[in-house]
Amino acid sequence: MICKWLDHNPDLPDTIEGVYIDRWTTKTRVEEYWFVHDLVQDMEPGYALDAATGYVENWHMLPYILGEMGWEVETMDIDPRTLTMPAHPAVRRILSDLVKLPYNDDTFDVVTCISTLEHLTAVDRVRACMELDRVLKPGGLLVLTADNYPGISPVALAVAA
């Protein structure tokens, strides 16, 4: 398990696997996406879930980065606008609630949930982490990030999962 704070690093490239991330409007997304990229780059590409992807056309680029790395990517969010995000041949989008995922146990090799958990109540945060862990294959990689909010810490997120 890796628990750490990601520091702002203006020296990181804003293009990952040919996918541009607008550093001016995304705050920490460049650091978060490079963190995920570096964790999965030596893995054999498989099936990934980007949970609670969100909708902002120039922010939520992780599914495209993973797709460009050879991963088959499923994204889910409760916002129907996510279904209108630009298409990518390796990315499939569905509507779903983070606390009740429509997937079988042990489905995904990698599960990411980027800067979302801080928007949930404490109870739903635990429920969501349990769901993310449930759909992750044994030995798979679960990557959770959260903005610096009161009551959120890497250790608390790890314990919930």
Side-chain angles (χ1 to χ4, degrees):
M1 174 184 353
I2 300 170
C3 294
K4 65 184 268 182
W5 292 109
L6 298 178
D7 294 322
H8 176 65
N9 182 350
D11 296 328
L12 284 173
D14 55 13
T15 300
I16 307 171
E17 299 292 331
V19 178
Y20 173 73
I21 301 99
D22 182 0
R23 183 180 286 283
W24 296 105
T25 60
T26 61
K27 307 293 184 223
T28 61
R29 290 296 189 267
V30 171
E31 286 79 9
E32 290 170 309
Y33 293 171
W34 271 110
F35 179 66
V36 173
H37 173 274
D38 291 350
L39 288 172
V40 304
Q41 71 180 345
D42 293 328
M43 294 175 68
E44 183 68 31
Y47 196 28
L49 171 65
D50 186 37
T53 297
Y55 172 79
V56 178
E57 203 164 297
N58 60 339
W59 283 23
H60 301 288
M61 309 306 287
L62 184 58
Y64 308 117
I65 294 166
L66 293 171
E68 290 300 311
M69 295 176 77
W71 291 84
E72 288 297 317
V73 184
E74 182 99 13
T75 73
M76 55 71 48
D77 199 276
I78 59 170
D79 187 339
R81 294 177 299 171
T82 61
L83 300 177
T84 67
M85 296 279 287
H88 186 285
V91 177
R92 179 174 166 255
R93 298 180 181 281
I94 68 161
L95 294 177
S96 177
D97 188 330
L98 188 56
V99 300
K100 191 168 191 291
L101 296 174
Y103 307 108
N104 293 330
D105 295 357
D106 308 329
T107 298
F108 297 97
D109 302 291
V110 169
V111 174
T112 63
C113 187
I114 305 300
S115 289
T116 298
L117 297 172
E118 67 272 16
H119 301 286
L120 303 177
T121 66
V123 169
D124 280 347
R125 194 175 306 130
V126 170
R127 290 173 60 202
C129 286
M130 290 172 60
E131 278 292 278
L132 297 172
D133 186 57
R134 178 185 66 77
V135 301
L136 183 67
K137 289 180 180 176
L141 176 67
L142 174 60
V143 182
L144 308 173
T145 71
D147 295 337
N148 189 11
Y149 278 65
I152 299 284
S153 75
V155 173
L157 294 177
V159 168

